[in-house]
Amino acid sequence: MSVPEKFTLIVDGEETTVDTGTTGAQLFFDRRDVVVMRVGGVLKDLDTELSEGVSVESVTIDSEDGLNVLRHSTAHVMAQAVQQLRPDAKLGIGPYIKDGFYFDFDVAEPFTPEDLKTLEKMMQKIVNSNQKFARRVVTEEEAREAMANEPYKLELLGKKDGAEEAGEGASIEVGAGEITIYDNVDRKSGDVVWCDLCRGPHLPNTKLISNAFALTRSSAAYWLGDQKNQQLQRIYGTAWPTKDALKAYQERLAEAERRDHRKLGTELDLFSFPDELGSGLPVFHPKGGIIRKAMEDYSRQRHTEAGYEFVYTPHITKGHLYEVSGHLDWYRDGMFPPMHVDEVTDPETGAVIKPGQDYYLKPMNCPMHNLIFRSRGRSYRELPLRLFEFGSVYRYEKSGVIHGLTRVRGMTQDDAHIYCTREQMKDELTSTLQFVLDLLKDYGLDDFYLELSTKDPEKYVGSDDVWEEATRTLAEVAEASGLDLVPDPGGAAFYGPKISVQARDAIGRTWQMSTIQLDFNLPERFELEYQAADGTRQRPVMIHRALFGSVERFMAVLTEHYAGAFPAWLAPVQVVGIPVAEAFNDYMFDVVDKLKAHGIRAQVDTGTDRFPKKIRTASKDKIPFVLIAGGDDADAGAVSFRFRDGSQDNGVPVEEAVKRIVEAVRNRDK
């Protein structure tokens, strides 16, 4: 019997000797948590045969790559179950996504919640049967034969050479060389029970999916994400390495649902979205208006202290302005269609005497701020010039992406544009970033990382040299902050790269907050100039900065971050006084009057509800301070505190109570 030949390879950084023909499954046989491997930097199935000299890295099921493979494999199991339940279902695409997966199907009837429950049970049977995921390299002809009854897969085969541009999720199925099919193979009989066109990789078997998955919802979706295509039915799901991890995720979802700003906005009477106004156009009610005003007032104060000057600009403009800026070339789809006005016609002949003009609702404030800068000669002594505006802008968001206050069509940007010299720009960027972080912290957000968005090679203006300088400068500023910096290739606006401040909220979700963009291009397009110290005319550098992003979205974020229990300085009603009985109403009014004299938003509940009901109402309204007064309190010139967590502090002298509340509001205690 011949001795197997041996060779060496690098496994997780260490040189290892193995037999010829060794697969990843054999190499990691004792590592049950390893589900795929990275060979020469490329993810591969474990049953891939290894060759001499390659570098092999283990990929565990709880790593990012491992989770993606787990979720994509679970999507295959779901699709198999769907075609068992609905044999007429035609397969679309089934990629992994953040925290889960989806699969699109062409079916006669939409899926119901009962269908999802049935599918989960069918999936569990498939998982328990321990089917093997087997990769098969095929020719295009063989693929077309295997997918003969799947029209959408046949369409993808025709797009294999341009899969990255073909549409949503296409590259999961085809592209990058070989055409592969994954068979789901019955462990006992060896028969192929189901297959799909897919690039992989996949788990070795379905058993690894365990019982740590769930189907979450179904919805309509367009084939390849294009509204011009056939509407399909999409099923979403999630999968995790363990049942405990799944439960933890479901608890996070439940908490996120409890914090949903749309629900809290209604419960707390903050804002609404009247149908009469149109999609994505909110109105703020008095209580929401108080929060918004407090946010804006504090922001104005801080901007004034930081040397910003306030400007105001109209909501509409002639289209030519956005031709100069480039927005009509690069951002037209995100703008509302124009209004054609001022045309004068002959009343008898109908002939045009004076041509009309197209006016657009403004999607950005920056072109108008450029006009302010250009309105007169500027000197280097004026720079940096910091212009700030709470500017109303309008964007034609597609109906499918509008979401509460976080994605609207009419919004207020806390927008600043800073004009400075080339020599000033790095210091100005540094101080701007610090200003942004400090102000966000004042509103209660303090867990940040940064994202650097760089040039989209298909969507930019200006020279490569200018972009390179701007990108390098932003990167240096971001790195100097000490915060983690994550790349976002191709994510920049057409006129310049940007730093985005990503903030984590109270339950660990990430929100994009402030953006800082460095722009050498718009000053050129608007021919902005200042007189330098040597008498020459120079172009300023322009820094675009939105701190909240939009006031609307920031309010949504804060509402969810605090779960509606805003800190006292932002709360619409800061104090409610509740007399134990009607006899103590006047006493409580005196206390509330003392608070009002200090600018505290306080009121007395003199309603007809019983005392316990009033306490519950104050709790439901998430009032920061509830003051209670009965006979003992009145006799002692005191009140009792009841806090949001249900705790109490009894018999506090009125003057001390007032001082506590005023200081908590003044110090913006969280």
Side-chain angles (χ1 to χ4, degrees):
M1 190 172 179
S2 62
V3 178
E5 293 184 18
K6 296 186 179 291
F7 63 86
T8 61
L9 40 73
I10 307 299
V11 181
D12 291 334
E14 295 185 6
E15 190 172 283
T16 305
T17 302
V18 299
D19 294 335
T20 300
T22 295
T23 65
Q26 294 166 321
L27 190 66
F28 299 109
F29 181 77
D30 294 328
R31 298 272 312 274
R32 310 313 295 173
D33 60 333
V34 176
V35 291
V36 287
M37 59 185 173
R38 195 175 289 280
V39 182
V42 179
L43 285 177
K44 298 281 188 179
D45 298 288
L46 285 182
D47 65 0
T48 302
E49 192 172 303
L50 301 167
S51 56
E52 186 171 6
V54 297
S55 175
V56 183
E57 299 171 64
S58 58
V59 178
T60 59
I61 196 167
D62 59 355
S63 66
E64 183 178 356
D65 285 331
L67 285 169
N68 290 340
V69 170
L70 164 67
R71 289 159 181 166
H72 186 42
S73 299
T74 310
H76 273 228
V77 170
M78 180 180 74
Q80 183 181 343
V82 166
Q83 290 197 315
Q84 288 178 3
L85 182 68
R86 304 262 192 102
D88 63 327
K90 302 302 179 188
L91 301 175
I93 288 170
Y96 61 81
I97 55 175
K98 179 176 168 53
D99 294 335
F101 59 88
Y102 69 77
F103 216 115
D104 292 338
F105 305 93
D106 191 349
V107 286
E109 297 292 332
F111 296 101
T112 66
E114 289 71 29
D115 287 335
L116 300 193
K117 291 176 185 175
T118 302
L119 286 168
E120 279 188 350
K121 292 175 182 175
M122 296 171 70
M123 288 172 67
Q124 194 63 61
K125 286 183 180 178
I126 295 169
V127 167
N128 294 342
S129 69
N130 197 17
Q131 292 178 7
K132 181 183 176 184
F133 288 101
R135 182 176 185 266
R136 175 160 51 106
V137 180
V138 295
T139 64
E140 184 172 342
E141 186 179 343
E142 289 169 335
R144 288 187 175 278
E145 184 179 344
M147 298 288 118
N149 294 320
E150 298 290 353
Y152 299 99
K153 301 293 182 178
L154 294 175
E155 183 181 332
L156 286 177
L157 285 167
K159 299 176 183 286
K160 67 182 187 303
D161 295 330
E164 294 292 340
E165 293 79 39
E168 182 182 64
S171 60
I172 294 288
E173 312 278 317
V174 293
E178 296 176 324
I179 300 173
T180 54
I181 285 176
Y182 275 80
D183 297 319
N184 284 31
V185 180
D186 183 85
R187 183 69 66 171
K188 294 178 180 176
S189 68
D191 295 336
V192 174
V193 293
W194 189 80
C195 70
D196 190 17
L197 180 73
C198 183
R199 289 173 61 187
H202 281 281
L203 302 174
N205 57 68
T206 60
K207 195 78 172 176
L208 289 166
I209 296 172
S210 181
N211 63 347
F213 67 89
L215 302 185
T216 52
R217 63 188 177 94
S218 62
S219 70
Y222 293 103
W223 170 237
L224 298 177
D226 189 335
Q227 293 183 6
K228 296 192 287 288
N229 290 339
Q230 174 71 23
Q231 191 176 82
L232 308 178
Q233 290 295 308
R234 177 173 294 180
I235 299 178
Y236 288 92
T238 188
W240 296 84
T242 64
K243 191 73 173 178
D244 285 346
L246 171 64
K247 285 181 178 176
Y249 170 71
Q250 290 171 326
E251 286 168 6
R252 290 197 299 275
L253 284 186
E255 180 59 29
E257 190 173 337
R258 286 191 288 272
R259 292 170 178 260
D260 190 317
H261 72 277
R262 296 167 299 176
K263 178 171 74 72
L264 290 170
T266 300
E267 292 175 359
L268 300 174
D269 194 21
L270 305 180
F271 47 80
S272 60
F273 304 88
D275 289 339
E276 294 85 347
L277 294 184
S279 186
L281 299 170
V283 294
F284 286 81
H285 302 185
K287 286 184 177 178
I290 290 171
I291 299 171
R292 179 166 173 162
K293 184 176 181 298
M295 286 165 49
E296 292 180 2
D297 285 352
Y298 183 63
S299 177
R300 285 188 177 92
Q301 176 194 327
R302 289 294 309 277
H303 278 85
T304 300
E305 293 166 356
Y308 287 79
E309 299 178 77
F310 291 79
V311 297
Y312 300 86
T313 60
H315 296 214
I316 62 171
T317 172
K318 290 188 289 189
H320 178 68
L321 181 67
Y322 289 109
E323 289 174 3
V324 175
S325 70
H327 286 91
L328 281 181
D329 292 330
W330 299 103
Y331 199 75
R332 189 186 294 267
D333 288 348
M335 298 171 64
F336 275 92
M339 299 169 277
H340 194 73
V341 299
D342 292 340
E343 183 177 278
V344 179
T345 59
D346 187 300
E348 294 182 2
T349 66
V352 176
I353 300 170
K354 177 186 174 186
Q357 298 200 54
D358 285 345
Y359 279 73
Y360 287 86
L361 290 168
K362 66 172 177 179
M364 310 280 185
N365 300 299
C366 36
M368 294 187 181
H369 290 189
N370 286 343
L371 297 182
I372 294 173
F373 183 95
R374 205 179 66 187
S375 64
R376 64 170 174 81
R378 300 285 178 181
S379 164
Y380 71 94
R381 292 186 178 89
E382 295 179 75
L383 305 183
L385 177 64
R386 306 181 184 104
L387 303 183
F388 178 85
E389 176 179 19
F390 278 110
S392 298
V393 299
Y394 303 87
R395 298 180 182 177
Y396 185 53
E397 301 284 6
K398 301 295 186 287
S399 58
V401 301
I402 290 172
H403 183 85
L405 292 178
T406 61
R407 200 73 179 263
V408 293
R409 285 177 170 173
M411 72 198 82
T412 306
Q413 284 188 318
D414 61 326
D415 212 5
H417 294 95
I418 302 165
Y419 303 86
C420 62
T421 69
R422 215 97 164 193
E423 294 74 29
Q424 293 169 333
M425 70 179 177
K426 192 168 182 179
D427 287 343
E428 194 65 20
L429 284 166
T430 301
S431 62
T432 299
L433 178 58
Q434 193 57 54
F435 176 76
V436 161
L437 295 173
D438 288 346
L439 195 49
L440 288 174
K441 288 175 185 176
D442 286 344
Y443 289 94
L445 299 169
D446 56 12
D447 186 359
F448 308 115
Y449 69 92
L450 303 179
E451 195 171 80
L452 179 61
S453 301
T454 52
K455 180 176 68 181
D456 181 344
E458 305 298 321
K459 190 177 178 181
Y460 74 99
V461 296
S463 72
D464 290 340
D465 289 346
V466 161
W467 273 87
E468 187 178 327
E469 182 184 353
T471 304
R472 184 177 63 251
T473 304
L474 278 179
E476 290 170 359
V477 168
E479 288 162 1
S481 73
L483 296 172
D484 291 338
L485 181 61
V486 176
D488 174 32
F494 67 88
Y495 47 78
K498 70 178 177 185
I499 294 172
S500 304
V501 177
Q502 309 286 328
R504 295 182 184 90
D505 67 10
I507 58 173
R509 297 172 300 178
T510 299
W511 301 87
Q512 178 177 301
M513 300 308 308
S514 313
T515 57
I516 301 171
Q517 297 168 281
L518 184 55
D519 181 6
F520 295 151
N521 289 302
L522 286 189
E524 188 75 31
R525 295 173 82 96
F526 280 87
E527 300 180 345
L528 305 185
E529 291 181 340
Y530 68 91
Q531 185 169 316
D534 62 2
T536 59
R537 310 297 295 179
Q538 303 287 336
R539 294 266 187 255
V541 175
M542 187 176 178
I543 299 169
H544 305 244
R545 193 235 64 193
L547 199 151
F548 296 155
S550 78
V551 174
E552 289 77 7
R553 187 172 179 274
F554 192 62
M555 184 156 169
V557 172
L558 290 184
T559 302
E560 298 200 6
H561 176 64
Y562 289 115
F566 293 95
W569 74 280
L570 285 174
V573 179
Q574 295 166 326
V575 180
V576 166
I578 303 179
V580 172
E582 190 177 343
F584 306 106
N585 282 4
D586 289 344
Y587 178 78
M588 187 58 80
F589 273 113
D590 287 342
V591 175
V592 163
D593 285 344
K594 288 183 171 67
L595 288 164
K596 286 182 174 180
H598 290 276
I600 301 299
R601 298 185 288 273
Q603 59 190 40
V604 180
D605 186 347
T606 58
T608 56
D609 290 331
R610 294 169 62 86
F611 178 75
K613 177 71 183 304
K614 290 181 179 182
I615 296 292
R616 288 196 298 274
T617 299
S619 176
K620 181 174 72 68
D621 291 342
K622 304 183 188 293
I623 306 298
F625 300 106
V626 176
L627 300 182
I628 300 166
D632 291 344
D633 292 305
D635 291 342
V639 289
S640 295
F641 278 87
R642 184 177 177 88
F643 302 102
R644 283 168 169 161
D645 62 1
S647 63
Q648 289 199 186
D649 189 0
N650 299 324
V652 180
V654 169
E655 293 306 316
E656 184 185 336
V658 170
K659 183 181 177 184
R660 278 196 208 177
I661 293 168
V662 170
E663 286 182 356
V665 171
R666 187 175 292 144
N667 297 333
R668 296 183 306 282
D669 290 348
K670 310 301 186 291

